[in-house]
């Protein structure tokens, strides 16, 4: 006792202060409904909060694993039965192609966590419920029959829990990654009192570019129109972001894909702390077990994701540059106001996402030099895309220099 | 011991023999796929099995309640938790307007049983599952994600159990009455290992007449065509009947609406025995508690059902007579082959459903004499229908006489 405890209290105080500041910044960004034109303000805000976060993390990292193992007993996972709706559960989501698979693969590498493949059926049943609840007539008929919304939610919870628990191995912390279920975050938070939400955020331009070039079928996205797809991205992410703020940082943690890729260790420490799970180095080596027996299970549908089968690298961050129609580029703030709201500069091509950590730099260089693609399912245009990425990175560097 | 036990064994032997005979008769009726033209054969078969059933029941009734209370401990309802999928549960169904509400109201009057209103949402989720499983592509995608059919069934079971348990009061034996879920009888029997099924059967001509005149919206029924609606009845009941035979009489009991109404005591004894629930006189006085505080709960949607708000009577049995288009009447065996398969004479208008018990005769006479209609929701054409019923009953009697 004594020294170590005082140290823990100090760290906690810093963390609370940090959360308050971030909340304040977020609130400031939301106080007016119009689209602000002062991008420098957002750029600065994003940079400030990044700097602040860095400072906080630095303190935390000094002895984080010790602090966590001291407090580990606080969350007793074993006291819940397998199907208990009160057990801790993590929902990973966001707009598809925002790094949700990478996030879940990194967590799946942890010995105490199991997320597993996209179940597909959980979004379907949530959608069915949403559809029913949207009809006043149906709701009143159901109430007439003694089927209240609370009862429907209990049934929905039992269904989701059953699928989540059974479609993979047992683990202290189980989770679900069907990206769009975060559109129902507030409802899920009510159904599962100890659920946490990891809300993946990624530059909408990169998301839409990825959806369109990979021809990924996602509800609501028009694969033939960059503009329309970008507006869908904006609508979805606005809806999720609002709910994430409503739940608060204690239950919903926004994770910026770019930041996760640039600084995996810092973010994974933060994420595991948020999930109340002790640190384990395996989360930084997810690629070593992916698709191998006893390792992380990936469905054939998810395998095309570069980041998941390779060590973390930044090759894809700016691959969208040069693929956005000019008309969209010019009206970016109007088409996707959430870009600025989330701290991305809508007029920068690409924005300064930040400088990768040494580990990530090494990974990226290694991948570029070796030109090894470990699995056959990677689309044939990968070489071409890598070339474009290099071009984009070159542009990004120039852009970066020009801003200094 | 001794005497009572020997008596029990004797009754059991007679029951097993009776079941074997009925099975044999049913199998005989199903051995050829064509529509048989020999209606006398079916008439005789129905009459024989009715006679036989009577003989068996007579034996059983001699001391049924004693036998049941002796064996009552066999089914220990309390050993299951509320949401346990292994707990006993009864599904009441059939084609809508076949007496399913009457059946569930009679059972709801029992102190140990609670069925409750139609949930509406249980058929919806079953339909969603059927829809998913009908797509091979979707099934293979789900399997890819670790979501097997077994897991889907577990989730479906958890959902149905949650709705069933929560939408009404607690009881030793709970149940569900959403008529068309019996289309998924075999699947439900797999999901709920101790589920029983009460399969309501009613003359298809009466069912269709009721659906059409009351403008009841039922999936698949065209309210503007007697012929088309009758064919839908035939398709539905054929599908359910097949599954009921597949499960066997130990798990699925077909209950003829006409027989239930004519001989309520005999049939309720049989049904409670089938459900392993001790006899209670309240099941014959369901109308005394319907819609009253603490009594049987009926939703506004279900209240228009005459039989449920009044003592059991036979006024509605033949109300269809005089309302079937001639073209349909002539081709009845072709349009509705299941009529003959189930033992109804397709050419008789109406068939001889049987002679009501004294209690039922008294109820019917009382209702006709008093002309009291206890609630306002009964359609305005009821008086007219009662007149037609009387006409139909007169015709039925004449017909009956002419057959002797």
């Amino acid at each position: 006792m004594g020294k170590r405890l005082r140290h823990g209290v100090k760290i906690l105080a810093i963390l609370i202060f940090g959360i308050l500041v971030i909340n304040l910044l977020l609130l400031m960004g939301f106080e007016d409904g119009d689209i602000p034109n002062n991008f420098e303000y957002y750029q600065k805000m994003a940079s400030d909060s990044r700097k602040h976060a860095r400072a906080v993390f630095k303190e935390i990292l000094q002895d984080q694993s010790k602090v966590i193992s001291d407090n580990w007993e606080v969350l007793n996972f074993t006291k819940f039965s397998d199907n208990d709706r009160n057990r801790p559960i993590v929902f990973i989501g966001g707009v598809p192609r925002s790094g949700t698979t990478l996030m879940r693969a990194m967590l799946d590498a942890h010995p105490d966590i199991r997320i597993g493949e996209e179940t597909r059926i959980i979004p379907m049943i949530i959608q069915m419920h949403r559809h029913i609840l949207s009809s006043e007539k149906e709701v009143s008929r159901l109430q007439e029959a003694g089927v209240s919304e609370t009862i429907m939610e209990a049934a929905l919870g039992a269904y989701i829990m059953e699928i989540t628990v059974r479609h993979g191995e047992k683990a202290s912390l189980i989770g679900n990654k069907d990206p769009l279920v975060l559109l129902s975050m507030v409802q899920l938070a009510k159904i599962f009192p100890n659920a946490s939400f990891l809300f993946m955020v990624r530059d909408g331009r990169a998301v839409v570019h990825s959806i369109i070039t990979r021809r990924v079928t996602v509800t609501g996205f028009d694969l033939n129109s960059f503009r329309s797809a970008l507006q869908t991205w904006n609508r979805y992410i606005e809806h999720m972001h609002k709910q994430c703020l409503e739940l608060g940082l204690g239950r919903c943690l926004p994770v910026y894909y770019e930041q996760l890729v640039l600084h995996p260790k810092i973010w994974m420490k933060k994420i595991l702390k948020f999930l109340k799970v002790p640190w384990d180095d395996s989360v930084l080596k997810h690629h070593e077990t992916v698709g191998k027996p006893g390792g992380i299970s990936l469905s054939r549908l998810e395998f095309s994701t570069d980041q998941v089968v390779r060590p973390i690298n930044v090759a894809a961050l700016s691959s969208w540059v040069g693929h956005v129609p000019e008309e969209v580029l010019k009206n970016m703030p109007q088409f996707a106001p959430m870009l600025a709201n989330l701290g991305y500069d809508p007029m920068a091509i690409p924005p300064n996402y930040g400088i990768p950590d040494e580990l990530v730099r090494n990974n990226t260089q290694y991948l570029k030099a070796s030109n090894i693609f470990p699995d056959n399912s990677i689309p044939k245009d990968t070489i071409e895309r890598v070339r474009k990425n290099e071009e984009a990175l070159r542009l990004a560097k120039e852009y970066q220099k020009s801003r200094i």
Side-chain angles (χ1 to χ4, degrees), chain A:
Chain A
M1 229 188 120
K3 202 174 174 184
R4 197 181 271 176
L5 186 72
R6 267 203 303 281
H7 191 64
V9 169
K10 195 176 144 198
I11 288 169
L12 211 65
I14 292 169
L15 193 68
I16 290 168
F17 175 72
I19 289 169
L20 282 173
V21 169
I22 292 169
N23 265 331
L24 202 67
L25 287 170
L26 286 167
L27 279 172
M28 280 164 69
F30 273 92
E31 68 192 5
D32 50 357
D34 292 331
I35 309 157
N37 288 313
N38 183 0
F39 302 119
E40 280 70 26
Y41 166 74
Y42 287 102
Q43 191 73 19
K44 194 177 172 303
M45 190 186 89
S47 151
D48 281 357
S49 59
R50 201 147 53 220
K51 264 182 219 154
H52 184 83
R54 282 279 194 135
V56 175
F57 295 152
K58 218 169 176 180
E59 288 271 358
I60 293 169
L61 288 177
Q62 284 179 347
D63 206 356
Q64 194 194 32
S65 47
K66 258 189 192 157
V67 174
I68 287 174
S69 62
D70 284 354
N71 297 316
W72 178 230
E73 284 76 18
V74 174
L75 191 65
N76 182 2
F77 285 102
T78 55
K79 78 175 177 190
F80 302 100
S81 75
D82 276 358
N83 294 335
D84 190 340
R85 279 203 282 134
N86 293 305
R87 73 181 283 189
I89 178 171
V90 54
F91 288 92
I92 300 169
V95 179
R97 312 295 316 153
S98 299
T100 54
T101 307
L102 175 66
M103 181 78 260
R104 82 101 174 150
M106 292 175 87
L107 287 176
D108 262 339
H110 193 290
D112 298 338
I113 305 178
R114 193 269 299 158
I115 317 286
E117 298 93 338
E118 294 187 20
T119 71
R120 303 177 60 84
I121 201 162
I122 288 177
M124 287 183 210
I125 188 154
I126 290 177
Q127 173 57 30
M128 186 190 97
H129 270 239
R130 204 182 300 147
H131 181 73
I132 292 169
L133 294 177
S134 70
S135 157
E136 265 183 51
K137 202 174 155 190
E138 193 55 61
V139 169
S140 89
R141 280 176 170 177
L142 285 167
Q143 244 149 15
E144 192 77 45
V147 181
S148 66
E149 269 189 57
T150 313
I151 292 171
M152 281 178 69
E153 279 174 355
L156 182 61
Y159 190 99
I160 292 173
M161 199 43 113
E162 205 73 20
I163 296 281
T164 309
V165 168
R166 288 179 181 250
H167 94 118
E169 280 161 30
K170 284 192 180 202
S172 301
L173 178 62
I174 56 165
N176 166 267
K177 193 279 272 186
D178 284 300
L180 288 177
V181 306
L182 284 215
L183 286 168
S184 304
M185 213 187 298
V186 169
Q187 192 192 16
L188 289 170
K190 204 173 137 201
I191 295 175
F192 302 102
N194 285 310
S196 310
F197 299 87
L198 288 175
F199 171 34
M200 296 304 297
V201 174
R202 184 186 181 187
D203 189 324
R205 293 159 288 195
V207 173
V208 169
H209 174 67
S210 176
I211 289 177
I212 287 180
T213 50
R214 285 165 177 273
R215 316 302 297 167
V216 182
T217 321
V218 184
T219 324
F221 279 86
D222 179 355
L223 297 183
N224 298 313
S225 160
F226 199 102
R227 173 182 165 168
S228 151
L230 190 68
Q231 286 169 324
T232 303
W233 172 83
N234 193 77
R235 204 171 60 248
Y236 279 2
I237 203 132
E238 188 174 14
H239 198 48
M240 292 177 185
H241 192 225
K242 211 175 123 191
Q243 292 185 66
C244 186
L245 288 179
E246 192 181 327
L247 292 182
L249 286 173
R251 297 197 67 186
C252 175
L253 182 70
V255 176
Y256 281 64
Y257 171 72
E258 295 85 4
Q259 300 310 314
L260 177 66
V261 168
L262 292 168
H263 320 293
K265 196 166 180 180
I266 293 172
W267 276 92
M268 287 315 288
K269 293 253 176 189
K270 187 178 166 69
I271 288 162
L272 289 185
K273 201 170 164 65
F274 169 77
L275 296 174
K276 298 190 178 72
V277 170
W279 174 257
D280 194 295
D281 278 329
S282 55
V283 295
L284 296 177
K285 302 171 201 154
H286 70 280
H287 58 280
E288 290 177 4
T289 54
V290 157
K292 286 175 190 149
I296 298 164
S297 177
L298 271 183
S299 89
R300 217 163 11 90
L301 297 163
E302 295 171 306
F303 230 109
S304 63
T305 314
D306 302 10
Q307 289 284 11
V308 179
V309 294
R310 306 198 201 148
I312 291 254
N313 63 85
V314 293
L317 280 195
S318 306
S319 59
W320 59 271
V321 171
H323 295 279
V324 184
E326 215 185 311
E327 173 246 6
V328 182
L329 276 182
K330 275 187 198 158
N331 298 295
M332 199 57 82
Q334 283 72 47
F335 292 162
M338 280 303 291
L339 278 177
N341 277 344
L342 292 164
Y344 295 101
D345 185 339
M347 297 309 276
I349 308 169
N352 174 9
Y353 296 125
I355 313 294
D357 293 345
E358 199 187 340
L359 169 81
V360 179
R361 266 206 310 279
N362 291 346
N363 287 345
T364 311
Q365 274 161 12
Y366 165 76
L367 284 172
K368 280 187 187 173
S370 63
N371 224 358
I372 292 167
F373 300 105
D375 98 275
N376 298 328
S377 63
I378 291 172
K380 279 172 190 152
D381 62 343
T382 303
I383 312 284
E384 174 63 9
R385 290 200 301 106
V386 167
R387 200 193 55 70
K388 277 187 186 153
N389 287 348
E390 275 161 2
E391 172 75 3
L393 281 170
R394 195 183 53 75
L395 285 170
K397 272 176 205 154
E398 274 176 21
Y399 174 83
Q400 213 169 307
K401 273 181 207 152
S402 73
R403 288 184 74 89
I404 298 164

